[in-house]
Amino acid sequence: MINLDKVYLLNPHYHLRHDIHRVVLFSRGGTDQDCSRNWQTFIHPLQAALLSFFTHNRTIRETLPLLCDYFCKSPRTIEKWVAEFIENPQPIYTNSQQGRIYFPKRVLIEAEKAEGNLRFDRLDADSFIWKKLDLKTRRLYTGPAIVTFMLTNRCITHCRYCYADTSTIADTPLPTGRIMELIDEAAQIQVRQVNLIGGEVFLHKDWQSVLKKLVELDIAPEYISTKMPMNSKRIAALTDIGYRGTIQVSLDACDEIVLQTSIGTRKGYTEAVLEGLQMLDESSLDYQVSSVLTTYNCDIGVLARMLQKLTTLKRIRDWRIVPVSNSITKEINEFICLKPKQEQIATLFKQMRPLMAQHSSFPIILGEETMNKQFGKTEGGSCNFSGSECSALTTHLFILPDGQATICEQLYWNPHFIIGDVGRNSLKEVWNSQRALQLYNLTRSDISTRSQCHKCALFDSCFGYQNRCWSDIIKAYEADCWDFPDPRCKFAPEMKNRLDYE
């Protein structure tokens, strides 16, 4: 039974974004107990209208008559609709002519349980009008859901395996003032999150101002990755800003010689990073450690020594060990020597498990999914590819240090995928630019006859679903073969540059 005298509200971690032909229901922040984290689904505008009634400070007893009038339904029907969303412990779905519509857990909660997150947005149900319903198209109509700023491509290390383009010089960096304007626009169009990456984020002269604004607008990055040794000044700045995300410290080994050889560090670097980790441990900031597995550190002795150092920390969130993957910016002949064999990685992970069980007081995440990626086997087009779905051209916009916008973090200044310049145009203008829409709506005539995609019977559904990994295609077949099949596809030709582990 619903307690009619309680105030229920739309979970403050959830937001409704009108996307012309549907409404985006997404989450921002929160914990696994509070909400369904990193949630994004399309819902019917009428369902958004229903939820909008719970963005006002009033009891269920006051709200039910308003819903009955709005939907011309009986109190019994309205109560049944509402009851499904109140404190639902698991995600739920409703059926529609365009398929299932999914909702996260705990859609409506008691206002008193919101505590410090209590917020009444007072949304207007009539603001969710629509003409043609579309719950299937993956690409957002009104702009990206996630914006990533590559603040700089400068770095303090020279990682032999790095996939970032650190050689291109941004002659005219995007001014900080313009970055601030774009952040305001991002908040206005209700992006889920704005990411900051490098190079090295902390080398940008105004990183503090940029991050502070993102925190104030509640669209700060979930984590910031760095290879710079953390110090008291940076930790104090992050604390004062109120950053509540995670600092990811990239450290591949605790052995000075290993790091000097693999990422070009100077003497004393390892000790400085370890001291920085200790400072993070003594601060209030969340942090984790990430290691890229190469032939330099694919050794149980190297990782055991690393584990021994990390177990002295009390607040480390987790340690992630991920096998190196191919880079567009590195010559394949140079890269092959960095990539461990599959058997080496499997043996190492097997050796790690007893150490994890015996010594680790924090999670150690072994990146086995990287090794298990299947190439040349998937049938039925891009909708059937396993792993995370590609966000290029559907939800994500990537901004380079000079303001040029591309569709994917790993494509950088590849001219074929540059879709605009935010130095001259707004986020929405770039998102819906002629080039962006052309790439999204590729036809057979845009594909070379040497590509198996040109005559494929699955062309429309495969390209329409937009889950082909452009960067993997270029890694496997090189830049002039950008229109080849995704190497996971059954019809893909043999890879010129192998992405799997031999």
Side-chain angles (χ1 to χ4, degrees):
M1 290 289 293
I2 301 175
N3 188 333
L4 298 179
D5 294 316
K6 283 188 176 290
V7 176
Y8 287 90
L9 78 157
L10 178 65
N11 190 321
H13 296 296
Y14 298 140
H15 301 262
L16 298 170
R17 170 177 167 177
H18 194 205
D19 195 44
I20 301 179
H21 302 295
R22 65 282 182 95
V23 173
V24 185
L25 172 60
F26 68 93
S27 64
R28 185 187 289 153
T31 66
D32 291 331
Q33 288 72 41
D34 298 329
C35 63
S36 297
R37 297 183 69 240
N38 298 315
W39 184 275
Q40 179 177 304
T41 48
F42 299 135
I43 65 174
H44 196 291
L46 285 176
Q47 293 170 320
L50 172 71
L51 296 179
S52 73
F53 280 83
F54 295 91
T55 62
H56 300 257
N57 187 9
R58 56 195 175 207
T59 65
I60 288 282
R61 192 182 301 279
E62 295 170 302
T63 301
L64 284 179
L66 300 175
L67 285 168
C68 291
D69 289 343
Y70 189 86
F71 288 100
C72 299
K73 296 291 183 180
S74 68
R76 185 174 181 178
T77 298
I78 294 297
E79 281 193 42
K80 183 179 179 181
W81 287 358
V82 171
E84 293 181 346
F85 295 120
I86 291 180
E87 301 284 2
N88 54 304
Q90 300 295 331
I92 58 176
Y93 67 86
T94 61
N95 290 306
S96 77
Q97 292 182 343
Q98 296 192 23
R100 289 179 174 179
I101 300 175
Y102 288 90
F103 292 84
K105 68 181 181 182
R106 303 191 73 223
V107 177
L108 301 178
I109 64 172
E110 290 182 29
E112 60 189 39
K113 292 182 179 179
E115 298 177 344
N117 297 307
L118 183 63
R119 188 186 76 246
F120 295 104
D121 290 335
R122 302 179 64 83
L123 299 178
D124 181 0
D126 290 331
S127 66
F128 298 107
I129 58 173
W130 80 103
K131 291 184 178 180
K132 181 181 178 182
L133 185 67
D134 177 10
L135 300 175
K136 292 186 175 182
T137 301
R138 291 181 61 226
R139 176 178 169 82
L140 297 182
Y141 290 97
T142 52
I146 298 174
V147 175
T148 294
F149 284 96
M150 186 183 194
L151 290 181
T152 176
N153 62 342
R154 292 184 297 124
C155 199
I156 64 164
T157 58
H158 303 282
C159 304
R160 295 189 62 187
Y161 56 78
C162 185
Y163 66 76
D165 181 350
T166 56
S167 60
T168 299
I169 299 174
D171 294 324
T172 309
L174 192 64
T176 301
R178 181 57 182 151
I179 293 175
M180 296 300 203
E181 292 172 352
L182 292 165
I183 290 173
D184 281 330
E185 184 192 354
Q188 191 271 327
I189 64 174
Q190 290 184 279
V191 300
R192 279 171 45 202
Q193 183 174 291
V194 174
N195 296 324
L196 302 178
I197 69 166
E200 187 57 67
V201 169
F202 299 124
L203 287 180
H204 190 277
K205 63 183 181 66
D206 293 319
W207 72 264
Q208 294 183 46
S209 300
V210 172
L211 183 59
K212 182 179 180 181
K213 189 173 186 69
L214 293 174
V215 169
E216 290 172 348
L217 294 173
D218 194 27
I219 51 176
E222 188 173 353
Y223 71 92
I224 297 174
S225 183
T226 182
K227 273 189 163 68
M228 288 185 72
M230 295 300 291
N231 57 32
S232 57
K233 184 177 180 180
R234 269 190 290 277
I235 290 173
L238 288 162
T239 304
D240 292 344
I241 287 168
Y243 179 60
R244 292 177 295 175
T246 300
I247 301 300
Q248 177 171 285
V249 177
S250 297
L251 182 64
D252 298 338
C254 292
D255 300 57
E256 192 87 60
I257 294 177
V258 170
L259 295 184
Q260 288 176 356
T261 309
S262 61
I263 67 173
T265 58
R266 296 179 179 179
K267 186 177 181 180
Y269 172 83
T270 309
E271 183 179 352
V273 173
L274 292 173
E275 288 178 358
L277 282 171
Q278 187 62 50
M279 291 182 192
L280 280 170
D281 202 56
E282 295 168 0
S283 75
S284 59
L285 297 172
D286 285 339
Y287 72 98
Q288 63 194 33
V289 175
S290 176
S291 302
V292 176
L293 200 60
T294 66
T295 50
Y296 291 102
N297 62 349
C298 189
D299 177 88
I300 189 60
V302 172
L303 293 192
R305 288 190 289 276
M306 179 96 162
L307 178 59
Q308 187 177 22
K309 294 286 187 181
L310 296 182
T311 50
T312 64
L313 303 170
K314 298 177 181 178
R315 294 182 50 257
I316 180 172
R317 183 173 179 174
D318 58 55
W319 177 24
R320 299 160 188 243
I321 306 171
V322 182
V324 67
S325 57
N326 292 44
S327 167
I328 288 177
T329 63
K330 298 288 187 292
E331 291 292 334
I332 189 64
N333 292 335
E334 177 186 349
F335 196 82
I336 288 174
C337 65
L338 302 174
K339 205 171 179 180
K341 305 292 185 185
Q342 184 167 355
E343 185 178 351
Q344 290 176 290
I345 300 172
T347 299
L348 178 67
F349 284 175
K350 184 177 180 180
Q351 293 171 326
M352 279 293 295
R353 287 191 176 89
L355 294 179
M356 291 161 56
Q358 183 179 358
H359 299 292
S360 178
S361 57
F362 51 86
I364 298 178
I365 302 168
L366 304 177
E368 294 174 293
E369 68 281 355
T370 306
M371 287 196 307
N372 297 332
K373 203 169 184 179
Q374 298 292 310
F375 295 102
K377 295 183 179 180
T378 303
E379 300 180 6
S382 69
C383 64
N384 291 325
F385 291 149
S386 60
S388 301
E389 291 192 336
C390 178
S391 61
L393 293 170
T394 59
T395 60
H396 198 165
L397 183 66
F398 186 82
I399 300 171
L400 296 161
D402 58 1
Q404 293 191 73
T406 183
I407 67 171
C408 170
E409 176 183 341
Q410 295 194 44
L411 294 173
Y412 297 99
W413 282 273
N414 184 316
H416 192 82
F417 298 100
I418 296 293
I419 59 173
D421 187 338
V422 296
R424 298 194 298 265
N425 300 105
S426 68
L427 295 175
K428 291 180 72 172
E429 288 170 338
V430 170
W431 183 253
N432 288 307
S433 68
Q434 182 179 355
R435 182 55 180 159
L437 296 177
Q438 182 184 16
L439 281 172
Y440 181 76
N441 295 299
L442 289 172
T443 64
R444 288 183 192 273
S445 61
D446 297 312
I447 307 301
S448 64
T449 55
R450 61 180 179 158
S451 169
Q452 286 79 356
C453 297
H454 184 78
K455 293 184 178 180
C456 182
L458 298 172
F459 181 90
D460 291 336
S461 61
C462 182
F463 275 68
Y465 194 73
Q466 292 290 330
N467 194 29
R468 300 165 70 256
C469 181
W470 300 101
S471 63
D472 273 1
I473 293 169
I474 292 175
K475 289 175 186 177
Y477 305 112
E478 301 194 350
D480 62 335
C481 299
W482 65 271
D483 57 357
F484 270 38
D486 184 298
R488 291 171 289 182
C489 177
K490 178 182 179 180
F491 303 114
E494 182 179 352
M495 290 183 282
K496 181 177 181 180
N497 306 317
R498 291 186 60 172
L499 303 187
D500 56 353
Y501 297 83
E502 298 180 21

